[in-house]
Amino acid sequence: MRTLSLEEIDLIKKSIIRKNITSAEILSEVYDHYLTHLENLPEDDFKYGLNELDEKFTYNFCKKLQRDQKNSNRREIKTLQKEVFKSYFTWPRFAFTLFFIASISYLGTLIPFKTQVILFIMIPLIFIVGLNFVVMFRTRIKLKPLKNDFSGQSYKINSLTSEYLTLQLHWPITLTNIFLHVPRILGLTDFIPEYLYSFLSVATCIFLVFYGLILFEVFKIKSKTAFL
Amino acid sequence: MSNNNLIKGSLQTIILKLLEEKDRMYGYEITQKVKELTAGEIKITEGALYPALHKMEAEGLLTTEIQQVDNRVRKYYSLTKSGKAEMSSKMNELHAFIDNLHRILNPAIDPKLNL
């Protein structure tokens, strides 16, 4: 095994950049494969080895790897979400679920509607927005070395795991915005009967809290192993 | 021996077995290990290896971890709990298949004999 020269590393990077890989997961794997293979070849065989690798990791093959990885990531995160969700209905977590639902339902009968909106909807939403920032920050830090290595690439390098998790975190924020603003735009200010106010705020709170907690746990699990 | 179809059919088992013996491995290491163990008779192509690794990861058989190694990021694969279980069942299946293949290729062997 030998240390590659800066010129050789530059040739490898240029060769990989031509494949337009945007997924950090695939890019790092392909780059490591190139480097490890070429480090094991004598200096004279470098160009031959590089061409050989380029023939294996063609543009289309890399795009396919990226597409498959995207689907795999989605499937994996969805499975994790389901597993975490199920865990809230098995002991000992079920005790928390029961206690939480009972407390929120009881508080819903005591607190006036405006306070309920602040407490039951805004606090979980702030948690979700905060988690979103943490995900973005962590991804930025983890991607920094790779982005520096491939600074000449015109396509933005992104973590597929982070991208999907961020998308999941945006859903409740978008839905809340739609729920708050669309009725106003349409002039439907009193379209929800008053007796449903409490029920709706309690139900929304339960949904948001569990949704946020599930995503937080998925983030905790995936952040140990992925670009997150 | 280097029949692509035979290798394709056993690629998952090969990966599972290698990862059982060594806690974690990266893609290139797997290709080299197979080459080394078979004295170059079996070569796993990158075109088959990476899709297989990603598929197994999505199925929950493998887990990955990234680590900074020599100025680059390296992705290591290791077996999950269900990956270990799958490995045992795949190995049993493969042993049974090899036994049966022996019997077919050597009809003189008594079918009741435990190979």
Side-chain angles (χ1 to χ4, degrees):
Chain A
M1 195 179 128
R2 68 186 181 94
T3 310
L4 296 170
S5 70
L6 287 175
E7 288 77 25
E8 286 173 330
I9 293 177
D10 207 44
L11 279 175
I12 296 171
K13 283 178 188 171
K14 277 181 185 159
S15 181
I16 295 177
I17 284 173
R18 279 198 290 271
K19 301 177 202 310
N20 287 338
I21 305 171
T22 53
S23 144
E25 291 85 349
I26 301 297
L27 184 62
S28 60
E29 201 159 35
V30 171
Y31 184 46
D32 181 43
H33 192 100
Y34 267 64
L35 289 177
T36 319
H37 180 67
L38 295 169
E39 278 169 352
N40 286 296
L41 290 183
E43 209 175 327
D44 292 342
D45 290 346
F46 176 82
K47 284 206 170 152
Y48 172 75
L50 185 61
N51 280 337
E52 206 181 36
L53 283 173
D54 276 340
E55 277 166 21
K56 288 174 184 170
F57 289 93
T58 59
Y59 179 90
N60 286 334
F61 175 60
C62 291
K63 287 284 163 194
K64 189 187 176 297
L65 277 182
Q66 201 163 265
R67 226 177 15 250
D68 291 346
Q69 178 83 49
K70 193 173 184 172
N71 293 334
S72 307
N73 270 18
R74 283 176 181 228
R75 264 208 311 268
E76 201 189 342
I77 291 179
K78 274 183 191 166
T79 313
L80 264 177
Q81 281 176 304
K82 275 180 207 161
E83 276 170 21
V84 177
F85 177 72
K86 277 183 204 162
S87 75
Y88 282 102
F89 294 94
T90 50
W91 292 103
R93 280 195 176 180
F94 191 49
F96 162 78
T97 310
L98 284 177
F99 175 75
F100 175 74
I101 293 175
S103 322
I104 289 292
S105 308
Y106 179 64
L107 278 173
T109 60
L110 300 177
I111 302 172
F113 178 63
K114 277 193 176 171
T115 323
Q116 273 185 42
V117 171
I118 293 167
L119 272 179
F120 292 176
I121 299 172
M122 292 317 283
I123 292 175
L125 271 183
I126 289 168
F127 173 76
I128 289 172
V129 172
L131 182 59
N132 195 18
F133 279 114
V134 174
V135 170
M136 280 159 59
F137 180 70
R138 291 268 311 214
T139 309
R140 210 186 157 94
I141 288 176
K142 285 214 175 170
L143 287 185
K144 209 174 173 185
L146 201 63
K147 279 186 174 173
N148 286 340
D149 277 337
F150 290 90
S151 51
Q153 178 158 319
S154 53
Y155 289 89
K156 202 178 163 199
I157 299 165
N158 230 330
S159 155
L160 291 174
T161 316
S162 165
E163 218 173 61
Y164 188 61
L165 206 63
T166 309
L167 188 77
Q168 296 275 301
L169 284 163
H170 279 185
W171 271 113
I173 304 162
T174 311
L175 282 177
T176 312
N177 270 326
I178 291 172
F179 186 73
L180 288 177
H181 298 299
V182 170
R184 275 191 211 160
I185 293 166
L186 298 174
L188 301 167
T189 42
D190 298 320
F191 77 107
I192 299 172
E194 214 167 296
Y195 64 89
L196 277 180
Y197 281 179
S198 186
F199 169 75
L200 279 177
S201 64
V202 166
T204 313
C205 176
I206 291 168
F207 168 75
L208 287 176
V209 166
F210 280 105
Y211 192 82
L213 284 176
I214 288 167
L215 286 178
F216 176 64
E217 294 220 23
V218 170
F219 163 72
K220 270 202 317 189
I221 296 166
K222 289 303 292 175
S223 65
K224 287 177 195 158
T225 57
F227 284 99
L228 194 66
Chain B
M1 173 60 208
S2 332
N3 187 311
N4 281 341
N5 285 335
L6 280 178
I7 298 167
K8 234 180 194 175
S10 359
L11 186 56
Q12 216 183 54
T13 317
I14 294 172
I15 295 170
L16 290 170
K17 183 66 189 161
L18 288 178
L19 288 171
E20 191 224 10
E21 277 168 19
K22 199 172 173 194
D23 265 357
R24 56 175 206 168
M25 289 175 104
Y26 54 96
Y28 185 78
E29 195 183 3
I30 294 174
T31 60
Q32 295 308 298
K33 189 74 189 168
V34 172
K35 215 164 138 184
E36 182 196 316
L37 288 172
T38 62
E41 280 288 306
I42 294 180
K43 282 179 192 148
I44 295 182
T45 62
E46 289 78 355
L49 176 73
Y50 287 108
L53 285 172
H54 298 162
K55 188 173 168 268
M56 288 161 79
E57 187 189 349
E59 285 169 356
L61 301 175
L62 302 182
T63 181
T64 57
E65 99 184 75
I66 50 167
Q67 200 178 312
Q68 192 78 19
V69 177
D70 300 331
N71 289 329
R72 63 201 187 239
V73 179
R74 181 163 282 167
K75 192 172 170 184
Y76 284 99
Y77 294 88
S78 48
L79 288 183
T80 59
K81 216 174 168 182
S82 58
K84 283 175 188 161
E86 181 75 4
M87 201 277 303
S88 311
S89 102
K90 286 259 179 198
M91 285 307 289
N92 289 339
E93 256 175 50
L94 194 64
H95 282 307
F97 179 73
I98 292 170
D99 285 351
N100 288 327
L101 209 58
H102 267 301
R103 288 189 178 101
I104 293 166
L105 297 175
N106 303 298
I109 298 174
D110 180 2
K112 284 173 189 163
L113 185 75
N114 215 350
L115 289 176

